[in-house]
Amino acid sequence: MKRILTGLQPSGKLHLGNYFSVMRKMIKYQDNFDLFLFIANLHSLTSISSRDDLINNTYDAVADFLALGLDPDKSTFWIQSDVPEVTELTWYLSNYITVNQLSLAHSYKDKISKGLQPNASLFIYPILMAADILAFDSNVVPVGKDQKQHLEFTRDMAGRFNQDYGDVFVIPEPEIDEDSAVIPGTDGQKMSKSYKNTINLFDSEKDLKKAVMSIVSDSAGIDEAKDPDTSTIFAIYSLFLNETETQNLRTRFLTPGLRYGDIKKELLECIMEYFQPYRKKREEIISNKDYIESVLKKGKEKAGWIAQKNLEKVRSALGIKRIS
Ligand code: ADP
Ligand code: TRP
């Protein structure tokens, strides 16, 4: 069975953009693949400097995944920092990528242009990501388009290492949904924690209402037809609808008389209804710290065992001997 691995940063509350692009897909994969999924808290240190935020966001992300149906018996689910072998591997791999190559990383350049400090951690972020992938013999790595280049770096590092030392690493294949739509946020830009335009999966009804009511709309009057193809409300609402329902919504947009306020109220109800069963489950999970700990312990053991075995292979190839 192919091993499919991905990581999600706990850099804020998870939102509809995360859910409809990555989370839902990963949860489905647990039935057909050997799913490896982790919460990338070490990567989040590049953007979070509050202890409480890091702890809370990490636990929230774990609870979100479990509530949404991730089954710890079918998958391996852990927190990145619980398998410290990846940080050791980061050092070894850093000998297989040049400063020049790293300086061409789009993601690094984007983050700097958004005002993040050009810390060394941000610069070597792709090496830690490569270690995450290579430590676990991953065959397939599903990521968003923004991570495509990081996968190329990973394949490069693994290839160069293997050239020097034999077939130590499995070379992973990226799985990039080229035509997956970018889900817009309340302001019409890409929904993103860094733009403060998110609709979060498990916010209170009051906060969700505030977010939904703030979705941008054009100035078309009630008596005018509305354009569904440029409407942010339509784009978000249709995430919850099947084909026929989307078609009906389209017709309503094109028929004069539609009030955006009414559609927003419907959308809010729809979000509440869709996540209601998960919300209940999440409350149970979050109040059961022992359960969360036991899931994470199991994940840490399974992922750790594989990483330890692989690191022994890597050390032995490199000539790093440890006194036992
Ligand atoms: P954010 O931009 O909120 O910080 P992340 O970068 O942590 O989100 O994204 C985690 C995953 O979710 C990535 O694979 C990314 O491609 C996907 N994703 C995030 N926001 C969106 C969106 N608005 N539309 C589609 N996919 C998204
Ligand atoms: N960099 C990824 C993102 O921001 C998160 C991530 C960290 C990751 N390590 C990974 C994704 C390994 C896939 C594989 O979305």
Side-chain angles (χ1 to χ4, degrees):
M1 204 174 0
K2 277 195 174 170
R3 179 165 300 154
I4 198 155
L5 170 143
T6 203
L8 216 88
Q9 286 193 68
S11 46
K13 287 188 179 170
L14 297 173
H15 53 72
L16 295 183
N18 298 136
Y19 177 71
F20 284 104
S21 63
V22 186
M23 298 171 80
R24 188 173 59 164
K25 190 162 90 174
M26 293 309 290
I27 293 167
K28 273 197 197 137
Y29 278 160
Q30 69 190 358
D31 294 319
N32 308 312
F33 293 97
D34 181 17
L35 175 64
F36 272 51
L37 182 69
F38 64 95
I39 305 300
N41 61 339
L42 295 176
H43 276 109
S44 276
L45 286 172
T46 57
S47 59
I48 297 184
S49 50
S50 149
R51 176 180 190 273
D52 286 350
D53 283 355
L54 190 69
I55 295 173
N56 294 335
N57 290 346
T58 302
Y59 266 80
D60 277 350
V62 170
D64 287 359
F65 266 110
L66 294 174
L68 290 165
L70 187 82
D71 181 345
D73 291 327
K74 290 185 185 165
S75 57
T76 306
F77 184 41
W78 75 102
I79 295 178
Q80 188 183 28
S81 55
D82 278 334
V83 181
E85 280 75 13
V86 294
T87 54
E88 182 183 343
L89 184 56
T90 300
W91 178 249
Y92 301 144
L93 291 173
S94 66
N95 294 294
Y96 287 86
I97 188 161
T98 63
V99 168
N100 194 36
Q101 213 176 345
L102 285 173
S103 65
L104 297 175
H106 310 304
S107 162
Y108 173 72
K109 289 195 282 192
D110 282 357
K111 286 174 183 164
I112 302 296
S113 73
K114 278 186 200 144
L116 279 177
Q117 278 250 5
N119 288 331
S121 60
L122 211 52
F123 193 63
I124 61 166
Y125 180 114
I127 315 181
L128 176 58
M129 180 161 161
D132 288 332
I133 296 169
L134 299 176
F136 303 102
D137 297 331
S138 316
N139 302 111
V140 182
V141 182
V143 281
K145 274 185 246 180
D146 54 328
Q147 301 292 317
K148 189 175 174 176
Q149 197 184 21
H150 289 163
L151 256 292
E152 285 159 12
F153 289 172
T154 303
R155 288 168 56 87
D156 259 22
M157 282 180 252
R160 282 186 216 159
F161 191 100
N162 283 358
Q163 251 175 16
D164 281 0
Y165 295 103
D167 278 342
V168 175
F169 293 122
V170 172
I171 312 277
E173 296 293 333
E175 185 193 274
I176 295 153
D177 224 344
E178 287 293 350
D179 40 42
S180 68
V182 167
I183 295 159
T186 52
D187 59 358
Q189 287 192 80
K190 176 193 171 218
M191 188 178 288
S192 170
K193 284 157 235 150
S194 32
Y195 301 149
K196 304 210 178 337
N197 62 357
T198 60
I199 300 178
N200 299 329
L201 302 181
F202 293 112
D203 268 359
S204 67
E205 183 164 7
K206 190 168 154 234
D207 288 344
L208 278 174
K209 184 172 178 188
K210 211 165 120 195
V212 169
M213 290 302 163
S214 75
I215 300 175
V216 285
S217 55
D218 61 21
S219 57
I222 299 169
D223 299 332
E224 288 174 72
K226 325 269 186 307
D227 182 1
D229 296 317
T230 54
S231 165
T232 303
I233 308 171
F234 182 84
I236 298 176
Y237 199 166
S238 50
L239 295 170
F240 295 89
L241 306 178
N242 63 30
E243 231 172 278
T244 318
E245 291 164 339
T246 308
Q247 202 49 47
N248 287 343
L249 186 66
R250 177 175 289 279
T251 310
R252 287 174 69 197
F253 265 71
L254 295 170
T255 311
L258 180 104
R259 285 172 199 269
Y260 284 132
D262 293 342
I263 292 289
K264 287 181 182 176
K265 273 187 209 141
E266 277 178 38
L267 171 58
L268 176 65
E269 276 171 29
C270 193
I271 297 174
M272 287 304 297
E273 200 180 301
Y274 185 95
F275 289 105
Q276 195 54 40
Y278 303 124
R279 193 178 279 273
K280 267 191 142 155
K281 200 165 161 212
R282 191 180 186 283
E283 276 163 23
E284 282 165 29
I285 290 169
I286 206 95
S287 61
N288 191 346
K289 275 249 147 63
D290 289 348
Y291 172 68
I292 297 185
E293 299 273 332
S294 73
V295 165
L296 293 174
K297 187 158 180 261
K298 199 162 117 185
K300 168 191 160 136
E301 276 164 11
K302 182 154 175 230
W305 184 75
I306 296 171
Q308 280 151 26
K309 231 177 47 182
N310 276 329
L311 260 285
E312 270 167 32
K313 239 176 20 180
V314 173
R315 286 186 210 111
S316 155
L318 288 168
I320 305 279
K321 284 203 172 182
R322 287 179 146 189
I323 305 295
S324 51

